[in-house]
Amino acid sequence: MVAATRKPVIAIAGNPNSGKTALFNGITGARQHVGNWPGVTVEKKTGSVVHEGVELSVVDLPGTYSFSSSAIDETIARDFILWENPDAVINVVDTTNLERHLYLTVQILEMGAPVILALNIFDEAKKLGIKVNLDKLEARLRTKVVPTVAIERKGIPELLTTAIQMVKNRNQGSAKFTIDYGPAVEREIAELSQLLDTILQKKVRTSTRWFAIKLLEHDDHIRGKLFKGLADEQVKQLETRVAMARSRIQQETGQDPTDLIAEKRYALTAKITKETTTTPEDVIRPSTMVDRILLNKWLAYPLFLVVMLLMFQLTFTLSDPIVEWLGGVIETFSEWVYGSLTGLGAPEMLVGFLTDGILGGLGAVFEFAPPIFFLFWIITLLEDVGYIARAAVLSDRLMRSVGLHGKAFIPMILGFGCNVTGILATRSLDNPKDRLISILVNPLISCSARLPVYVLFASAFFPKHQGIVVFSLYVLGVVLAAVMAKIFSLFIKSDSTSTFVIELPPYRLPRLKDILIQTWERAKHFLERAGTVIFISIIVVWVLSNLPPNIEPGSPDSLIARIGGFFAPIFKPAGFGTWQASTALIFGALAKELILGTLAVLYGAGEAGLAAALQAQWTPLSAYAFLVMSLIYIPCVATIGAIRQETNSRKWTFFAVGYTLFLGWLLAVVVYQVGSLLGFA
């Protein structure tokens, strides 16, 4: 057993698409918890495992290519290793792309962290004829190397055994890993290290050599952390010394110190790879052959649209039977509750509250949970297969055509799950202009909360073309985001530029268990919202629909009808100028799922009854116009909060609310009026 006052902490670090998540799932299984990093609304995955009688706490760090930028994911991963002092760091690398992945490895080793190198995707490397001399690689990196195939759980027991051994030997010290940056840089590193030793007086665990290198790299984040708590004269002394050191390196080598240090790291990773790895010259990767089709100049975009259309069509094909069954279960349960309460002589108000309010409103929302689960399942499948990375490359061209950085595609993709997540992901964009524009247009991306609304109306009015109708709304959101981004880029200027770098992973066959774990982690957010915000809001809707006393519930005389009726004339040109529709839109501003729940309470019906009620008062054209409005108008309260937090500006927050509200109303009116002229009314 390991003598420790706490569970040993094992961090998992690595490049995106290295198999890091598969390894984390393989180690922890269902023993996972997803929360947020302290002070940062970015996903944090933790888990636990018991191996050889030792319980280990496992932390899955955000995937990152290096520790050299200020992107939030890189900062989180680096800071955890630097300040949280994990007992071991499992660095996952793709054996088929060793040179590229070792760049992060040498940076972690330079920090003095206890590293275990997980040579992942080792089976594919063998198939390609790539041979790795494990003994030589261990000797060059001065750390343990374990071959793994994460998706098949191969190598995981050896990794954990090595980690436990590393924990036991933690206090014995380990061989220090250093990089020779050349005479000019090494001289300045030595002098800066000596000065840091004097000023800091062993207040940090990491070697002062590493901090000296980061100061020479002009790393503002590390500089801020390091200088915090120092006296003003000490800060001034260090800043002067760093400026002089950078200037001398520039004069002596003719290179910027930051570029020179990165160049030396890349040269070292290339040298280590050449010395320890043998790769056939004529190796042809299967992924390359597939990409000749999927990334073809003429075929790529049509194929992308086909994949997206099939994704939605498959979502409904798989979920429709479950939705129908679930609706029957909820309706049967509601009838049983009604009969039981009535038989017991319960007050009519209580019976109505439980059956029409809670079960009617909340049940209608839960009925459409299956499409959300299946949509996330398919998206996760495409990610694990490797297609989403290709979609990012394709979208890079589109992003640049509308004046955005190619990396802005990532927040948009995340916006399909939740706009809040998408907006927070804009922190990875270095250019302030790209960040602001991405924040402003992200609410136009259809999040999962809108999907139940789409499904209800599509099934009620377009039963034979559900997939196409929902697909058209998702496409409309993306097109609008691109158009508005182009418009905003004409007025929001920036002098800085940046490049888009993404590594295309090889195509792989994913494991069903891994996909299910990731799907659940994404989709349970919907259930959590349904159990909190939506639950409370539906109660409010029901109460307002039953006040003042002695009126027919949900009648035109109710308070909620008066509120909705006040705004209803505004939506008459769009074809849905009823108080029920305007009330649903008002509550939908709190959470988009509430549009569905509110309609269910106001019409007093489950899925089948609600669909019939809508068909009686709406036409297919007015229904589609309403869906367009639901797609665009006012971000939900959580998204508005995220916009305020990320822009730190009331002006831009009010602007985002105002322009989406007007744009939603305008396009809904255009759809209805043009459709009427064409005879679709």
Side-chain angles (χ1 to χ4, degrees):
M1 295 290 289
V2 178
T5 57
R6 62 175 176 84
K7 288 190 295 185
V9 176
I10 310 299
I12 301 179
N15 286 198
N17 304 311
S18 63
K20 186 172 63 67
T21 300
L23 184 69
F24 176 72
N25 290 339
I27 292 175
T28 61
R31 298 175 298 279
Q32 298 181 12
H33 173 72
V34 178
N36 291 324
W37 293 93
V40 183
T41 316
V42 175
E43 190 179 82
K44 174 185 182 181
K45 290 183 179 180
T46 58
S48 62
V49 64
V50 177
H51 184 73
E52 297 180 355
V54 179
E55 186 177 5
L56 303 171
S57 177
V58 186
V59 180
D60 186 22
L61 300 178
T64 175
Y65 293 108
S66 72
F67 289 156
S68 303
S69 81
S70 58
I72 188 66
D73 47 2
E74 295 190 14
T75 301
I76 287 173
R78 183 181 63 187
D79 281 3
F80 186 85
I81 296 172
L82 182 62
W83 306 112
E84 299 299 323
N85 198 30
D87 296 280
V89 178
I90 296 177
N91 175 213
V92 187
V93 301
D94 181 351
T95 312
T96 66
N97 196 5
L98 193 58
E99 181 178 336
R100 174 68 185 87
H101 285 233
L102 283 181
Y103 187 77
L104 177 65
T105 304
V106 298
Q107 287 187 296
I108 301 174
L109 288 169
E110 274 192 297
M111 296 170 70
V115 176
I116 307 164
L117 193 68
L119 275 184
N120 200 31
I121 320 175
F122 203 72
D123 56 337
E124 290 187 19
K126 279 187 175 182
K127 291 177 184 178
L128 294 171
I130 299 173
K131 298 178 181 178
V132 182
N133 189 316
L134 301 181
D135 293 333
K136 276 190 178 180
L137 189 58
E138 283 190 348
R140 290 296 277 113
L141 296 176
R142 300 181 184 180
T143 193
K144 290 291 183 180
V145 176
V146 179
T148 61
V149 182
I151 60 173
E152 296 180 8
R153 276 52 176 176
K154 291 181 179 178
I156 289 180
E158 292 81 358
L159 266 181
L160 296 176
T161 297
T162 306
I164 291 172
Q165 192 61 43
M166 187 168 281
V167 172
K168 291 178 180 178
N169 300 332
R170 185 73 196 272
N171 296 326
Q172 296 180 14
S174 58
K176 291 185 178 180
F177 181 89
T178 58
I179 299 175
D180 184 356
Y181 290 106
V185 179
E186 288 295 333
R187 182 186 64 244
E188 302 301 337
I189 290 175
E191 293 183 10
L192 263 178
S193 297
Q194 188 175 4
L195 180 58
L196 286 169
D197 281 331
T198 303
I199 292 177
L200 298 176
Q201 296 179 350
K202 298 183 179 180
K203 291 180 181 178
V204 293
R205 295 172 181 158
T206 305
S207 71
T208 50
R209 172 185 169 85
W210 185 83
F211 283 107
I213 293 170
K214 299 311 291 180
L215 290 175
L216 291 175
E217 284 186 285
H218 216 282
D219 190 314
D220 289 335
H221 180 78
I222 292 298
R223 174 189 171 279
K225 290 270 189 179
L226 194 61
F227 289 2
K228 188 177 181 180
L230 296 181
D232 291 342
E233 58 270 19
Q234 291 175 321
V235 172
K236 186 175 181 180
Q237 183 183 8
L238 278 170
E239 287 183 331
T240 302
R241 185 66 189 79
V242 170
M244 290 173 57
R246 285 179 54 84
S247 178
R248 283 202 291 259
I249 292 171
Q250 178 84 42
Q251 291 175 0
E252 192 169 330
T253 65
Q255 286 184 269
D256 179 82
T258 304
D259 296 337
L260 178 58
I261 290 171
E263 183 183 291
K264 291 291 185 181
R265 288 197 189 113
Y266 278 118
L268 177 64
T269 60
K271 184 179 180 182
I272 292 174
T273 304
K274 185 176 180 180
E275 291 175 355
T276 61
T277 307
T278 304
T279 305
E281 293 183 4
D282 58 345
V283 61
I284 300 177
R285 301 171 188 260
S287 296
T288 304
M289 300 172 66
V290 177
D291 281 338
R292 288 174 184 171
I293 299 174
L294 294 183
L295 296 181
N296 179 272
K297 181 179 180 181
W298 304 108
L299 296 176
Y301 290 103
L303 286 174
F304 174 72
L305 291 176
V306 169
V307 169
M308 294 298 104
L309 178 57
L310 288 175
M311 178 176 73
F312 290 110
Q313 197 63 53
L314 186 60
T315 295
F316 292 114
T317 301
L318 295 174
S319 64
D320 276 352
I322 302 176
V323 169
E324 187 175 345
W325 171 80
L326 192 58
V329 170
I330 294 174
E331 185 175 353
T332 301
F333 181 67
S334 181
E335 291 174 354
W336 177 80
V337 171
Y338 178 84
S340 299
L341 292 176
T342 304
L344 292 172
E348 185 178 343
M349 182 71 73
L350 177 61
V351 175
F353 171 70
L354 291 175
T355 57
D356 296 335
I358 302 302
L359 291 176
L362 203 57
V365 175
F366 273 118
E367 283 178 40
F368 294 98
I372 292 178
F373 277 81
F374 278 110
L375 180 62
F376 279 132
W377 181 77
I378 296 171
I379 291 175
T380 303
L381 177 66
L382 291 174
E383 281 180 344
D384 283 14
V385 167
Y387 186 71
I388 291 296
R390 273 77 183 174
V393 171
L394 295 176
S395 300
D396 176 45
R397 303 172 194 172
L398 174 63
M399 292 295 100
R400 293 194 179 281
S401 69
V402 299
L404 278 179
H405 178 247
K407 202 174 180 181
F409 171 77
I410 305 300
M412 284 191 176
I413 280 288
L414 294 175
F416 284 121
C418 177
N419 293 136
V420 173
T421 305
I423 288 170
L424 295 176
T426 61
R427 295 174 179 179
S428 63
L429 302 175
D430 297 327
N431 190 321
K433 169 191 172 183
D434 291 336
R435 246 189 117 229
L436 178 57
I437 294 177
S438 295
I439 289 171
L440 293 177
V441 303
N442 202 279
L444 299 174
I445 302 298
S446 281
C447 65
S448 60
R450 295 172 171 98
L451 186 58
V453 184
Y454 297 165
V455 174
L456 170 67
F457 280 84
S459 61
F461 294 96
F462 313 98
K464 295 182 180 179
H465 306 289
Q466 291 183 67
I468 295 175
V469 169
V470 175
F471 176 65
S472 70
L473 292 166
Y474 275 81
V475 170
L476 177 61
V478 172
V479 171
L480 283 176
V483 171
M484 296 309 299
K486 183 63 177 179
I487 294 173
F488 293 152
S489 69
L490 300 176
F491 299 96
I492 302 174
K493 302 296 182 182
S494 176
D495 297 329
S496 59
T497 59
S498 51
T499 56
F500 177 49
V501 179
I502 188 171
E503 183 179 335
L504 294 180
Y507 292 102
R508 302 188 183 102
L509 289 175
R511 286 177 63 91
L512 179 61
K513 183 179 179 181
D514 292 339
I515 294 175
L516 291 177
I517 289 174
Q518 293 179 65
T519 300
W520 168 249
E521 291 298 341
R522 289 175 168 178
K524 73 177 182 180
H525 176 66
F526 167 80
L527 299 178
E528 290 170 351
R529 282 163 61 91
T532 53
V533 176
I534 299 173
F535 177 76
I536 295 171
S537 300
I538 283 176
I539 292 175
V540 173
V541 171
W542 183 87
V543 170
L544 291 176
S545 69
N546 282 268
L547 290 176
N550 303 319
I551 64 160
E552 184 71 21
S555 71
D557 297 322
S558 63
L559 283 179
I560 202 165
R562 296 175 189 176
I563 296 172
F566 179 79
F567 294 98
I570 300 174
F571 302 110
K572 190 173 182 180
F576 47 87
T578 65
W579 66 267
Q580 291 96 334
S582 57
T583 301
L585 290 173
I586 292 170
F587 280 90
L590 299 175
K592 298 302 179 184
E593 303 97 328
L594 269 174
I595 294 176
L596 180 59
T598 301
L599 289 174
V601 172
L602 297 181
Y603 287 116
E607 182 203 350
L610 181 55
L614 293 175
Q615 290 166 350
Q617 296 197 22
W618 303 54
T619 66
L621 181 58
S622 63
Y624 192 80
F626 183 79
L627 290 178
V628 170
M629 182 73 184
S630 301
L631 160 67
I632 305 167
Y633 91 106
I634 302 183
C636 69
V637 170
T639 303
I640 293 173
I643 294 172
R644 175 69 176 87
Q645 173 185 320
E646 296 304 305
T647 61
N648 195 28
S649 167
R650 292 182 180 177
K651 179 187 75 173
W652 287 118
T653 304
F654 283 125
F655 175 78
V657 171
Y659 101 81
T660 52
L661 178 60
F662 175 73
L663 183 63
W665 176 85
L666 178 64
L667 288 185
V669 170
V670 169
V671 166
Y672 185 75
Q673 295 299 329
V674 172
S676 297
L677 291 174
L678 295 176
F680 292 114

